[in-house]
Amino acid sequence: MFVWYLVGFVVIVVVIFAAGYIMKKKHYQRINALEEQKIELMERPVIDELTKVKKLKLTGQTEDLFESWRDSWDEIATKLFPNLEEYILGAEQHTDRYQFRQATQVENQVEQVIHEIDTQMKQILRGLKELIASEERNAQDIRLAKDKFTTLRRDVLSNGYKLGDALHGVEGQLDTIAENLNRFDMLTDQGDYLEARETVLNVQHDLERLAVQLEKIPGLLRESDIILPDEMGRLQAGYDEMVQQGYYLEQLQLAAELERMRGRVSDLKGKIVAGELEAVENGVAELHTEINLFYDTLEHEVEARHFVKENRIVVEAKLEKQIDVSDALAEQIKEVKQTYHVSEDELATYLNVASQLETQKEQLATLTERLSEVKIAYSAAEDTLKEMDAIVSSVALEQDTFAEELRSLRKDELEAREDADRMRRAILNLSRRLDRERLPGKPEEYTALCDHMEQSITKLEEKLEEKPLNMKAVSHEWRVAQEDLDHLTEKADEMIENVHLVEQVIQYANRYRLQTPDLAVALRKAEDHFYDDYQYKKALEIAVTALEKVEPSAFKKIEKAYEMKINVDEVEE
């Protein structure tokens, strides 16, 4: 037993030493990797780059920035690298003593310091590289800027007359650019490369802006000095010519508008001198648009004049024709009112359209007078004529409808009288038809319908004899009478059909009468209704119900035979 304890103890010790060995190896691997990162940082050429830049003559912003980089390097060299050495040594000691938790903490600190050093070094090297590169870019950009400046100045000297009053401002910009070029040289000589960089960028921007101005100013001056004044002059001349030709154009207020536009042109000249070229371009475009709108208006007046000359007489003739129609309608109304009743609404319709025609006649007279006195624009006259034409056309449709209604009164009267006679003949024919059927009698319901039919026709005839004749009332009684006749005819057809069916059902059921007492009783009851009170429909219902109990679907055979006009026994099942 003791041996087994001893073996177990040995195994545990071996496992512990093996685990310790593995952990030490992992920590040493991490420490070695951190050591390599430290060496890589220490080998970076920061001090060499600082020395190169230090040889340059630095002043101003450049010198201040260089000093900040050197201070940052001093911190790295005198503080951060020694701390890094100390942390790495501490990590090794903790690892040797199997203090792995403390070793991990120190290793994490080492990583943080390495990251901090790496960040600061990259900032220093990037800044130094940009500083050296800026010196090279400055030399290239200033050479191009000076060449462009020389070209622009030569152009101004040769073509300055094209710039007008803007020449002084352009020369002032050239002087400012020249001063900045000299300032660039001074800053470069002093070693202030960063401020020199800002200066050369400003010079480039000023040169580009000035080049655009030199390109645009002559054209804009031509617009303000020649083109726009010339267009306004032509517009005034065209306006004056049209006034002499008899056009009314006071509504345009052209004189005031041209004065306003000249004021805007004067303002645009001031903006050209001030270098506000974008505002000038927008202003020029707006003035051209306004001038074009005036030309469009004048052109529309010319077109409107042609329209008025071609259509005024046409509209006048159309109006006079409708007035004649209105007068004829007035006479027709007088004649119709002697025979027929004309409602106040119908008269109001006529009076309204007649009033509209008188109003249009007055407006046309006023329009003609104003045209002769040149007190209305042709465009306004065109709108008025179009509106008048639309109104007269609408009135014509209303008058046609009204006239047709008047004409239809006599036609409707004759049709109603003829229809009253037709309905009386229809009733007589219906009575003869029932007589031919030799019915036992007529039920009270049918007799009542006949009486009601007689009353309806009588009312229609009475309405037709009234003076003046009210055709709306006639139409109402006419419709009621026709509906009553249709209903009476339908009832007569139904009654005749029921009579024939009852006879055939009873005849067919007689074959079962002796053997079926209940059927015999029902058939006697049906015969009583058939012969005594003439309730043919009720008699049919009783007979069919009794027969169906004896022979289901027998009534369908009887109906089919009735429709086909054959014997029931001939119907195929």
Side-chain angles (χ1 to χ4, degrees):
M1 183 65 70
F2 175 75
V3 173
W4 286 110
Y5 281 120
L6 181 60
V7 171
F9 175 76
V10 171
V11 170
I12 292 172
V13 171
V14 170
V15 170
I16 291 173
F17 274 103
Y21 174 77
I22 292 172
M23 292 295 292
K24 283 182 68 175
K25 185 176 180 181
K26 287 179 62 177
H27 277 276
Y28 275 121
Q29 287 176 345
R30 186 180 182 189
I31 291 169
N32 290 336
L34 295 173
E35 180 70 25
E36 289 176 0
Q37 292 180 36
K38 180 199 74 173
I39 294 172
E40 189 273 330
L41 291 174
M42 296 180 71
E43 290 177 349
R44 288 183 185 178
V46 177
I47 190 64
D48 294 338
E49 296 297 323
L50 286 171
T51 302
K52 288 180 185 179
V53 175
K54 181 60 179 176
K55 292 178 181 179
L56 299 174
K57 184 179 179 182
L58 304 177
T59 60
Q61 295 182 15
T62 307
E63 184 179 14
D64 293 340
L65 190 57
F66 176 80
E67 290 300 328
S68 68
W69 293 334
R70 189 163 63 179
D71 291 342
S72 180
W73 171 249
D74 289 341
E75 180 185 11
I76 293 172
T78 61
K79 181 180 177 182
L80 297 181
F81 272 138
N83 288 344
L84 193 58
E85 290 283 358
E86 183 179 346
Y87 291 148
I88 291 175
L89 180 60
E92 291 176 345
Q93 291 175 350
H94 286 303
T95 301
D96 290 339
R97 298 170 185 169
Y98 294 94
Q99 297 173 341
F100 300 126
R101 180 179 296 176
Q102 293 87 336
T104 299
Q105 292 175 350
V106 175
E107 289 163 4
N108 290 339
Q109 288 179 322
V110 171
E111 285 185 343
Q112 292 177 1
V113 174
I114 287 175
H115 176 72
E116 184 178 353
I117 294 173
D118 177 63
T119 301
Q120 292 189 32
M121 279 188 169
K122 286 179 178 178
Q123 291 177 347
I124 294 170
L125 290 172
R126 183 167 54 249
L128 292 171
K129 183 178 180 181
E130 290 177 356
L131 178 59
I132 296 172
S134 68
E135 182 186 12
E136 297 174 354
R137 288 197 303 270
N138 283 353
Q140 181 181 0
D141 290 346
I142 199 63
R143 183 172 62 255
L144 295 175
K146 288 180 177 180
D147 290 344
K148 190 168 186 178
F149 172 77
T150 301
T151 300
L152 293 179
R153 184 166 61 180
R154 186 184 302 115
D155 185 36
V156 172
L157 290 173
S158 301
N159 303 298
Y161 66 92
K162 296 181 180 180
L163 302 177
D165 294 337
L167 176 60
H168 180 72
V170 169
E171 290 176 338
Q173 293 184 59
L174 286 171
D175 292 340
T176 301
I177 293 173
E179 291 175 2
N180 284 330
L181 290 172
N182 293 332
R183 185 169 184 272
F184 171 83
D185 293 336
M186 181 189 68
L187 291 170
T188 302
D189 292 340
Q190 292 176 352
D192 196 346
Y193 302 108
L194 294 179
E195 192 169 350
R197 184 63 190 164
E198 293 178 7
T199 302
V200 75
L201 292 176
N202 290 333
V203 167
Q204 288 177 331
H205 177 267
D206 293 342
L207 287 170
E208 291 173 0
R209 184 180 62 181
L210 181 58
V212 172
Q213 290 180 355
L214 292 177
E215 181 182 354
K216 291 183 176 181
I217 287 174
L220 294 176
L221 285 173
R222 187 168 179 273
E223 285 280 356
S224 62
D225 294 339
I226 300 174
I227 296 177
L228 285 172
D230 184 55
E231 288 189 2
M232 287 187 281
R234 288 202 302 272
L235 178 60
Q236 181 69 65
Y239 176 90
D240 294 338
E241 182 180 355
M242 290 181 66
V243 170
Q244 292 176 2
Q245 292 175 359
Y247 287 88
Y248 178 84
L249 302 174
E250 292 183 11
Q251 76 280 7
L252 300 182
Q253 298 183 340
L254 184 64
E257 289 298 313
L258 287 176
E259 186 64 27
R260 178 185 60 80
M261 285 192 277
R262 292 188 187 99
R264 288 198 63 189
V265 170
S266 179
D267 292 339
L268 293 178
K269 289 182 180 180
K271 291 184 183 298
I272 293 174
V273 174
E276 302 174 16
L277 301 189
E278 184 176 354
V280 175
E281 289 175 325
N282 293 334
V284 168
E286 290 172 1
L287 284 172
H288 279 299
T289 300
E290 291 183 27
I291 292 172
N292 289 334
L293 286 175
F294 274 106
Y295 276 116
D296 291 342
T297 303
L298 294 178
E299 183 178 352
H300 179 56
E301 286 296 322
V302 174
E303 295 171 352
R305 185 179 190 178
H306 290 304
F307 178 88
V308 171
K309 286 186 175 181
E310 292 176 359
N311 291 276
R312 187 184 66 81
I313 297 176
V314 174
V315 173
E316 183 178 11
K318 189 174 181 179
L319 177 59
E320 290 298 332
K321 176 184 177 182
Q322 272 333 112
I323 290 176
D324 292 341
V325 171
S326 179
D327 294 340
L329 274 177
E331 292 298 323
Q332 189 176 353
I333 289 172
K334 289 181 182 179
E335 296 175 2
V336 168
K337 287 182 67 175
Q338 295 175 3
T339 305
Y340 301 98
H341 172 74
V342 181
S343 70
E344 293 300 323
D345 291 341
E346 291 172 328
L347 288 175
T349 299
Y350 163 74
L351 293 174
N352 178 52
V353 296
S355 174
Q356 289 185 58
L357 291 175
E358 288 300 321
T359 300
Q360 297 309 306
K361 185 175 181 179
E362 293 174 2
Q363 287 189 1
L364 182 59
T366 302
L367 176 63
T368 303
E369 181 181 356
R370 294 185 67 188
L371 284 171
S372 64
E373 297 175 353
V374 193
K375 290 184 178 180
I376 185 172
Y378 282 107
S379 56
E382 178 185 12
D383 293 340
T384 301
L385 285 175
K386 287 181 177 179
E387 183 180 357
M388 290 177 62
D389 184 66
I391 292 174
V392 172
S393 296
S394 175
V395 166
L397 290 175
E398 292 187 59
Q399 287 181 328
D400 289 345
T401 301
F402 189 61
E404 181 60 30
E405 290 176 355
L406 293 179
R407 286 192 295 270
S408 67
L409 290 175
R410 179 60 179 167
K411 178 183 176 183
D412 292 345
E413 177 194 358
L414 293 177
E415 288 184 3
R417 291 184 183 279
E418 291 176 359
D419 222 28
D421 294 339
R422 178 189 63 80
M423 285 188 280
R424 284 202 175 277
R425 290 195 300 273
I427 294 173
L428 181 59
N429 291 334
L430 197 59
S431 178
R432 290 173 178 173
R433 179 185 170 195
L434 292 176
D435 290 341
R436 286 196 299 270
E437 296 292 337
R438 300 185 181 279
L439 303 181
K442 299 176 183 177
E444 293 181 1
E445 179 184 3
Y446 183 79
T447 303
L449 288 176
C450 288
D451 294 339
H452 187 72
M453 182 72 238
E454 177 64 28
Q455 294 174 8
S456 296
I457 296 178
T458 300
K459 286 182 180 180
L460 172 59
E461 292 172 338
E462 289 174 351
K463 290 296 180 182
L464 286 169
E465 298 304 320
E466 290 181 357
K467 299 295 181 183
L469 193 60
N470 188 336
M471 285 308 298
K472 285 189 176 180
V474 169
S475 296
H476 172 72
E477 298 300 338
W478 187 2
R479 184 177 65 256
V480 170
Q482 183 61 53
E483 291 173 355
D484 289 347
L485 178 59
D486 293 340
H487 185 54
L488 182 65
T489 303
E490 180 183 345
K491 287 296 182 182
D493 292 340
E494 179 184 345
M495 182 172 61
I496 292 171
E497 181 179 347
N498 288 338
V499 167
H500 286 295
L501 287 174
V502 168
E503 290 175 343
Q504 292 191 25
V505 168
I506 292 175
Q507 183 180 0
Y508 185 86
N510 282 335
R511 65 186 65 184
Y512 302 111
R513 196 162 191 162
L514 296 176
Q515 298 91 339
T516 312
D518 292 341
L519 174 63
V521 172
L523 292 179
R524 283 195 296 273
K525 187 175 180 181
E527 289 169 346
D528 291 341
H529 284 297
F530 186 87
Y531 291 107
D532 296 341
D533 52 13
Y534 320 124
Q535 297 295 319
Y536 306 119
K537 184 177 181 180
K538 189 171 184 180
L540 178 63
E541 292 174 352
I542 294 172
V544 168
T545 302
L547 177 60
E548 289 287 319
K549 291 180 180 179
V550 177
E551 183 184 341
S553 302
F555 184 60
K556 288 184 178 181
K557 289 170 56 179
I558 296 171
E559 279 187 311
K560 190 172 182 180
Y562 176 75
E563 292 174 0
M564 298 175 65
K565 293 182 171 45
I566 60 176
N567 189 279
V568 177
D569 295 328
E570 297 177 4
V571 175
E572 297 180 1
E573 298 187 13

